[in-house]
Amino acid sequence: MFKNFFNKKKSFAVNIFPGDQEISISRGETLLAGALRSGLAWPHKCQVGSCGRCRCKILEGKIRPEIDFNYVLDPVDVASGFVLACQSTAKTDIKVSVDLTHKRK
Amino acid sequence: MKKLYVNVRYLIVPVMTVTTIIGLFIGGIYAWIGVFLFGINTILDTLTKDIHLKADFDEDGNSYGIKIFQYSVMYLMLPIFIILQLALANNLYKFIYLEVLEISELVGSILSCGLWAGLGIIYGHELSHNKREGFNVSRAIMALSGASHFTYAHVYNHHLDLGHEDDPATAPRGRNVYAHAWLSHAGQSKFSYDLENAKLKKLNKSFFSLQNKWLLGYLYSLPSIILFVWSGGLVGVIALFIVWVISNFLLEALNFMGHYGLIRETGKPVEHRHSWDNDNLFTSWFFIEIGRQCDHHVRGETYFWELDDVKGPNYGIGYFSLFVLALIPSLFRKFTQKHLDNWDQNYATGAEKEIVNKYYVNELLQKASK
Ligand code: FES
């Protein structure tokens, strides 16, 4: 019963599509923070969950939402897997789709 | 040792709030202790106005701040602020029903409670950026001042629209703190109402849903209202109203001082120049670094003890001293004008300068038409 509790993973693998790049994020670290720490040009602006600029789609795996995404994202998109990277921490290894070639508006 | 110093220095407000509570329970002249401490802090802040600090990191760049300790203190402030209200309610009961309290003691209790309840903002603010339980503690602390809407408005409105007319918490040039307190309070509540309305519509939920955080926020304030009605009837309602006015005024004064007159072009990212920094020793310790607005608005979820000097615009004096100036609008405008001129010349972009110029032209036209 306590096996999982004591053997908690300290970090998770994040595969980013398109491009199939892999980064690692620590437990409790947001997807955006991990990506920026790894030098990726992940789109972002406010970093507090209010602008929606860091949105991405989870293709596989589980995240823990730190806030209610419905304020910023369309509920239909949320239901289909869109999340805010600055407000998502990983619960498992994940595969995610995001456009890293964006131009800052 | 350094670790101890870095963490303990942020305990001024908890210690002084507890002192204020004790003063309220003892009564007599001690009921005024909260007002007295506020005055002492203004003097200390003014005396130390020339001491500016940077954040403390070890050689490896790690902060000395102990997260579990700082969070425990912030969470502990919720019951402390509740006890502060209970202490005032106790004095009200003694005044109205037991008739063992002088009116001067009651006035001192109300003012002391209002001033220290207002400092709930520094914890409400910090915790608004730390989601889940921290966010809820922030809402509960703000609800004690009838301002639970702040938590949502701060994150979804202020952080996004800072320096722009869509942000009620940013005071445009020429506005005084009294007008700002009301406009910012009402504007943030309206924003929070609209935010919930839009969310509930998207989710096909009724306005009277448990998911309506705007409505729920005001319901969280209901226990305070019931407590004060019970302990003092109409006088209790008036006392609570005064406490809420004072505490919300302090909250909005902090917003006022943090961004007064600064401008950001629509759609452009928030940068360090869009806030006034405040790195004075006493202000930094007392307000748990809430004055490091420049860094905070760029790295919104950074813990307060890690926020640093980023060479942003700075008035050079602490919040207590600035607050005193803000209370006298003509003096505040005079003091801030040279800093605004400096901002216009050395920080503003071309587009921001154009907005500034339009403002001054409009001001001249208005004066001429009078
Ligand atoms: S960066 Fe703004 S919502 Fe994530």
Side-chain angles (χ1 to χ4, degrees):
Chain A
M1 178 186 173
F2 294 108
K3 203 171 145 221
N4 281 349
F5 186 80
F6 289 113
N7 287 339
K8 273 188 173 177
K9 276 179 82 167
K10 288 213 166 57
S11 63
F12 300 98
V14 180
N15 279 88
I16 300 158
F17 294 91
D20 198 12
Q21 301 186 61
E22 183 171 316
I23 61 166
S24 162
I25 63 170
S26 320
R27 175 176 290 280
E29 184 178 35
T30 66
L31 202 46
L32 178 69
L36 296 179
R37 184 177 44 71
S38 308
L40 297 184
W42 194 295
H44 68 282
K45 189 169 127 189
C46 70
Q47 300 195 47
V48 294
S50 57
C51 72
R53 186 75 62 86
C54 63
R55 82 200 279 271
C56 59
K57 187 174 183 181
I58 302 296
L59 305 172
E60 233 178 273
K62 283 194 179 140
I63 59 105
R64 175 178 137 136
E66 297 297 312
I67 57 168
D68 182 353
F69 297 143
N70 289 306
Y71 286 109
V72 176
L73 302 177
D74 194 288
V76 178
D77 287 346
V78 175
S80 69
F82 278 94
V83 302
L84 297 173
C86 72
Q87 299 300 324
S88 302
T89 51
K91 282 168 89 175
T92 64
D93 292 341
I94 51 181
K95 285 192 175 140
V96 60
S97 148
V98 64
D99 179 12
L100 295 181
T101 60
H102 71 107
K103 290 269 176 304
R104 200 185 209 189
K105 280 179 212 130
Chain B
M1 201 59 195
K2 179 95 184 196
K3 221 173 191 151
L4 185 72
Y5 150 73
V6 167
N7 286 282
V8 167
R9 67 192 185 186
Y10 296 121
L11 293 180
I12 303 175
V13 171
V15 168
M16 287 191 175
T17 311
V18 170
T19 310
T20 301
I21 291 170
I22 295 170
L24 260 62
F25 277 121
I26 296 174
I29 190 79
Y30 297 105
W32 285 85
I33 203 155
V35 181
F36 173 75
L37 287 173
F38 208 80
I40 293 284
N41 292 333
T42 308
I43 295 168
L44 287 175
D45 193 51
T46 310
L47 290 178
T48 55
K49 73 179 173 45
D50 293 325
I51 309 175
H52 302 267
L53 294 182
K54 287 179 129 344
D56 288 289
F57 298 100
D58 66 17
E59 295 126 25
D60 299 326
N62 298 317
S63 168
Y64 289 108
I66 304 170
K67 185 179 166 191
I68 187 148
F69 175 73
Q70 295 301 347
Y71 265 73
S72 303
V73 173
M74 286 194 285
Y75 286 6
L76 195 65
M77 287 312 289
L78 174 59
I80 289 178
F81 286 127
I82 292 173
I83 296 170
L84 179 65
Q85 284 205 343
L86 287 170
L88 176 58
N90 177 56
N91 284 1
L92 266 164
Y93 192 84
K94 280 168 76 184
F95 178 77
I96 299 284
Y97 298 109
L98 305 181
E99 296 180 11
V100 293
L101 205 81
E102 298 288 326
I103 180 110
S104 64
E105 293 171 80
L106 183 66
V107 172
S109 303
I110 294 170
L111 296 180
S112 291
C113 181
L115 289 171
W116 289 88
L119 290 161
I121 167 68
I122 62 177
Y123 303 102
H125 169 260
E126 179 69 19
L127 292 171
S128 74
H129 290 292
N130 295 280
K131 306 299 158 15
R132 294 180 175 268
E133 55 293 324
F135 197 78
N136 291 328
V137 175
S138 163
R139 300 248 299 152
I141 289 178
M142 298 313 294
L144 291 170
S145 297
S148 192
H149 62 269
F150 165 86
T151 309
Y152 278 92
H154 180 77
V155 174
Y156 292 99
N157 188 188
H158 183 51
H159 269 263
L160 194 61
D161 298 321
L162 171 74
H164 193 262
E165 57 200 13
D166 290 344
D167 175 29
T170 300
R173 294 183 191 196
R175 185 187 281 175
N176 66 54
V177 70
Y178 304 102
H180 182 71
W182 167 246
L183 291 170
S184 179
H185 178 91
Q188 288 179 70
S189 183
K190 163 91 170 54
F191 175 89
S192 183
Y193 170 88
D194 290 342
L195 183 76
E196 291 303 320
N197 228 349
K199 180 192 79 177
L200 294 168
K201 274 194 187 129
K202 279 199 279 182
L203 294 172
N204 266 330
K205 292 250 156 72
S206 145
F207 181 79
F208 297 100
S209 146
L210 278 179
Q211 286 195 38
N212 186 335
K213 301 290 163 55
W214 179 80
L215 211 53
L216 272 184
Y218 285 115
L219 287 180
Y220 293 161
S221 298
L222 215 52
S224 294
I225 298 173
I226 293 169
L227 173 71
F228 279 81
V229 169
W230 173 78
S231 59
L234 182 63
V235 179
V237 174
I238 294 168
L240 183 64
F241 180 73
I242 296 170
V243 167
W244 281 6
V245 167
I246 296 173
S247 55
N248 280 284
F249 185 75
L250 292 184
L251 186 171
E252 297 307 344
L254 283 173
N255 275 330
F256 182 75
M257 296 185 288
H259 304 285
Y260 173 77
L262 299 184
I263 288 157
R264 184 170 60 96
E265 204 191 339
T266 314
K268 291 286 184 245
V270 172
E271 298 195 27
H272 293 145
R273 68 176 181 282
H274 297 121
S275 309
W276 295 106
D277 235 352
N278 209 310
D279 58 353
N280 286 75
L281 176 139
F282 191 77
T283 290
S284 291
W285 294 359
F286 187 91
F287 292 98
I288 59 168
E289 310 288 0
I290 205 172
R292 297 205 189 266
Q293 289 282 300
C294 301
D295 197 7
H296 169 68
H297 273 282
V298 172
R299 301 190 299 149
E301 303 216 325
T302 305
Y303 302 124
F304 69 83
W305 56 90
E306 291 179 2
L307 293 172
D308 210 350
D309 175 24
V310 288
K311 301 278 170 272
N314 195 324
Y315 287 124
I317 60 171
Y319 274 159
F320 278 100
S321 323
L322 197 56
F323 177 64
V324 173
L325 288 178
L327 293 177
I328 311 159
S330 57
L331 218 59
F332 182 79
R333 281 193 77 168
K334 205 169 164 201
F335 173 78
T336 50
Q337 194 56 54
K338 61 178 183 290
H339 293 282
L340 286 170
D341 292 344
N342 177 45
W343 189 86
D344 298 345
Q345 277 169 24
N346 300 315
Y347 289 97
T349 61
E352 286 166 349
K353 274 182 193 153
E354 264 175 43
I355 301 173
V356 171
N357 290 340
K358 264 188 212 148
Y359 163 77
Y360 286 123
V361 169
N362 274 343
E363 200 187 37
L364 279 176
L365 287 174
Q366 267 176 17
K367 267 188 194 154
S369 69
K370 271 180 195 167

